[in-house]
């Protein structure tokens, strides 16, 4: 290190800290002391502890290589696109540098959404590191600003490792595996990726001799699940940092909302770093400054928007069902589903499974390979229709009444539909707490009283806060593209049964989301005939020369560029160009 460097060299293991600035050994620490509520001058021992604990503020960037990783003796900085320079300490690195964690490099964060949003190439690996970083920032802030909480070094370590390891149990293509594949491969199974994370954590610790005792391992598991189990004596608020079951506001969400928006190209107005700084612990619960209440609504709305526009995109969902069918068809040959019970097998189960299937010469994989070829050639399962379920019909339009068998029973003559042709999805998009308002589970404090907490009803926030916090949708897909029209007609016939009026007529709303609907209420057959006639008319028009400009010369005639008669019936969304949180104003801190 340069002798004139103003930095302090701080050991990351033994806690010793010595000033190395030879030009000014009496370094002014007043700003540091004020920032962390030190008050009066600290003794030498206290100063060493503080400097060691907050080393991220003062540790120099040591040796740098071309990989973007900055290394010290027992710690590293990585340059994250969301959080900037992130410090990885020795405890964190002991888990990162293992095969179990490195596996996350091969798991796409958004699964099948990558096939729709080409920028969504980020992996569970960087999301887990980001979550670890935020978990550490939050718990360390509580430790600095609220010493009465008596947060121990073990608390800090375990919270950070819980953030790091919370997604160890994800399978191929993330939620495709645990939400779609496992329930169909193992009927009646209640397995979740959190249970997989617990299994892989045990495997990681045992296989790599990580320095964690049994109590700490169990504590980390509870932090991942977001609930206190057993006789743990740890603070209750710690269980809300990584996985908050109280109101779903946790550092996992802070990271993936920002990271996913960044990678899919959606502009977001949420500021999670501000939310973290405007929080404190009151009565063993994390509370937020009252001025953040609207920002919290905006965060939940951002989550809803991502589900609506990205996570449940109809093409992405179609590919999700195709990937599920690929895994199901290959399960009997490759034993994919049984890997969830064996850590050494699960270690090698990643998104690469589809490449393994394509490369394999094992008999019995023909169906899986055929579906994968359809994905490669973009011959996808087709979206047919969707219907928003009104609240008064939630008890009627159920999976027992609306399913592939019922739809097929309503097919027309010579449609030749089979149950396997139809996929029915019951979709729920919400504000993270099902049909409840998540902000009702959040407590706030005022700037004049930091020791008392209270709820803020939505009527006190804005008259534009929604009155419902979950939408229920029925979606229908067809595995066979040639049968989409037949499936659409059968689905509409079935739904008409549930929308009968007293006079026997149907008040079924028009399927404006279906590509087989048009505003003139023509049948699909008439629409197709009309389109075919228009295309034939265009092809008969002769235009040997197409001129550029406002006029044409010679004998060449400018082709009539009249619009398609079906162009008006297409409903087009603004896609990823519409920014989230339009019209949201920053809340000033001048009060």
């Amino acid at each position: 290190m340069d002798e004139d460097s103003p930095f302090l060299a701080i050991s990351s293991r033994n806690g010793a800290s010595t000033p190395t600035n030879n030009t000014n050994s009496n370094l002014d620490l007043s700003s540091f002391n004020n920032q962390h509520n030190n008050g009066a001058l600290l003794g030498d021992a206290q100063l060493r502890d503080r400097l060691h604990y907050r080393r991220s503020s003062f540790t120099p960037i040591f040796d740098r290589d071309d990989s973007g990783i900055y290394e010290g003796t027992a710690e590293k900085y990585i340059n994250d696109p969301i959080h900037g320079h992130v410090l990885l300490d020795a405890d964190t690195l002991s888990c990162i540098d293992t095969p179990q964690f490195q596996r996350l490099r091969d798991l796409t964060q958004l699964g099948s959404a990558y096939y729709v949003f080409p920028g969504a190439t980020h992996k569970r690996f960087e999301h887990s590191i980001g979550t670890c970083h935020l978990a550490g920032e939050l718990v360390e802030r509580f430790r600095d600003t609220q010493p009465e909480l008596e947060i121990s070094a073990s608390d800090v370590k375990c919270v950070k490792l819980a953030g790091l390891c919370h997604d160890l149990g994800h399978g191929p293509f993330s939620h495709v595996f645990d939400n779609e594949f496992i329930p169909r491969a193992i009927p009646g199974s209640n397995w979740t990726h959190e249970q997989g994370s617990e299994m892989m954590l045990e495997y990681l610790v045992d296989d790599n001799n990580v320095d964690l005792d049994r109590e700490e391992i169990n504590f980390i598991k509870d932090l991942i699940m977001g609930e206190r189990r057993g006789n743990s004596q740890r603070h209750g608020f710690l269980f809300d940092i990584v996985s908050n079951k109280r109101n779903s506001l946790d550092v996992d969400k802070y990271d993936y909302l920002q990271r996913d928006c960044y990678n899919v190209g959606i502009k977001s107005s949420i500021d999670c770093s501000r939310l973290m700084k405007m929080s404190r612990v009151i009565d063993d619960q994390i509370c937020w400054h009252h001025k953040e209440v609207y920002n919290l609504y905006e965060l939940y709305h951002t989550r809803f928007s991502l589900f609506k526009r990205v996570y449940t995109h109809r093409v992405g969902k179609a590919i999700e069902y195709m990937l599920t069918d690929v895994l199901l068809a290959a399960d009997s040959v490759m034993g994919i589903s049984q890997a969830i019970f064996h850590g050494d097998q699960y270690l090698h189960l990643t998104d690469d499974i589809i490449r393994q299937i394509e490369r394999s010469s094992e008999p019995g994989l023909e169906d899986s390979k055929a579906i994968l070829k359809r994905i490669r050639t973009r011959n996808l399962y087709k979206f047919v229709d969707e219907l928003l379920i009104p609240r008064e019909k939630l008890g009627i339009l159920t999976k027992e009444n609306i399913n592939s068998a019922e739809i097929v029973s309503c097919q027309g003559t010579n449609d030749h539909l089979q149950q396997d042709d139809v996929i029915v999805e019951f979709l729920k998009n919400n504000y993270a707490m099902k049909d409840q308002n998540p902000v009702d589970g959040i407590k706030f404090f005022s700037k004049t009283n930091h020791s008392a907490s209270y709820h803020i009803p939505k009527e006190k926030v804005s008259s534009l806060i929604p009155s419902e916090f979950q939408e229920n949708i029925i979606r229908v897909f067809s595995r066979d593209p040639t049968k989409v029209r037949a499936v659409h007609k059968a689905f509409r016939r079935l739904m008409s049964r549930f929308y009968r009026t007293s006079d026997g007529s149907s008040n079924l709303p028009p399927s404006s989301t279906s590509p087989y609907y048009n505003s003139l209420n023509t049948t699909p057959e008439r629409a197709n005939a009309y389109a075919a006639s228009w295309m034939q008319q265009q092809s008969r028009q002769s235009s040997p020369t197409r001129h550029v400009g406002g006029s044409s010369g010679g004998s060449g005639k400018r082709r009539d560029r009249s619009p398609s008669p079906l162009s008006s019936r297409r409903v087009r969304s603004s896609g990823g160009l519409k920014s989230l949180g339009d019209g949201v104003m920053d809340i000033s801190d001048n009060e």
Side-chain angles (χ1 to χ4, degrees), residues 32 40 44 61 72 75 115 136-137 200 321 347 349 381 393 397 472:
F32 174 82
D44 291 341
I61 295 177
E75 59 189 22
Y115 289 89
E137 287 283 303
M200 294 302 289
Y321 288 122
L347 175 64
L349 192 58
Y381 294 172
K393 291 187 180 294
L397 302 179
N472 297 270

Side-chain angles (χ1 to χ4, degrees), residues 120-167:
T121 58
H122 55 304
K123 306 299 177 67
R124 290 280 164 184
F125 180 84
E126 50 264 40
H127 163 63
S128 296
I129 291 179
T131 304
C132 170
H133 166 68
L134 294 181
E137 287 283 303
L138 188 58
V139 71
E140 287 174 356
R141 181 182 175 279
F142 291 150
R143 180 177 175 174
D144 275 351
T145 59
Q146 295 184 259
E148 69 276 7
L149 297 176
E150 297 182 347
I151 299 174
S152 68
S154 177
D155 290 336
V156 174
K157 178 177 73 171
C158 291
V159 167
K160 294 174 70 173
L161 292 182
L164 185 74
C165 299
H166 78 287
D167 275 351

Side-chain angles (χ1 to χ4, degrees), residues 245-306:
K245 294 294 192 295
R246 195 192 310 271
N247 49 50
S248 191
L249 193 59
D250 48 49
V251 294
D252 177 27
K253 190 170 280 77
Y254 288 161
D255 183 84
Y256 81 69
L257 288 180
Q258 296 177 99
R259 195 173 300 277
D260 293 351
C261 285
Y262 174 84
N263 282 279
V264 301
I266 291 178
K267 304 299 181 183
S268 172
S269 64
I270 61 173
D271 185 355
C272 293
S273 62
R274 173 187 168 95
L275 290 174
M276 290 173 59
K277 292 174 182 176
M278 301 293 280
S279 64
R280 63 183 286 107
V281 177
I282 304 174
D283 297 330
D284 207 21
Q285 179 177 341
I286 301 175
C287 305
W288 280 263
H289 195 285
H290 70 96
K291 291 172 62 175
E292 299 306 303
V293 60
Y294 188 76
N295 290 338
L296 292 178
Y297 275 108
E298 195 61 21
L299 180 144
Y300 288 115
H301 177 72
T302 299
R303 178 192 181 276
F304 170 78
S305 260
L306 280 171

Side-chain angles (χ1 to χ4, degrees), residues 48 103 155 159 211 311 322 364 437 473 476:
R48 283 196 299 270
R103 167 182 175 271
D155 290 336
V159 167
D211 186 18
Y311 306 154
M322 298 183 78
N437 180 359
I473 298 173
V476 180

Side-chain angles (χ1 to χ4, degrees), residues 370-405:
I371 299 174
L372 286 174
K373 186 174 182 179
R374 287 184 60 178
I375 295 177
R376 302 296 189 197
T377 58
R378 211 67 177 181
N379 181 21
L380 308 177
Y381 294 172
K382 295 299 182 182
F383 168 79
V384 176
D385 202 355
E386 71 177 22
L387 185 68
L388 188 66
I389 305 176
R391 177 179 288 272
E392 62 272 12
K393 291 187 180 294
L394 287 176
I396 301 174
L397 302 179
T398 63
K399 293 181 180 180
E400 288 72 27
N401 296 328
I402 312 297
N403 51 59
S404 58

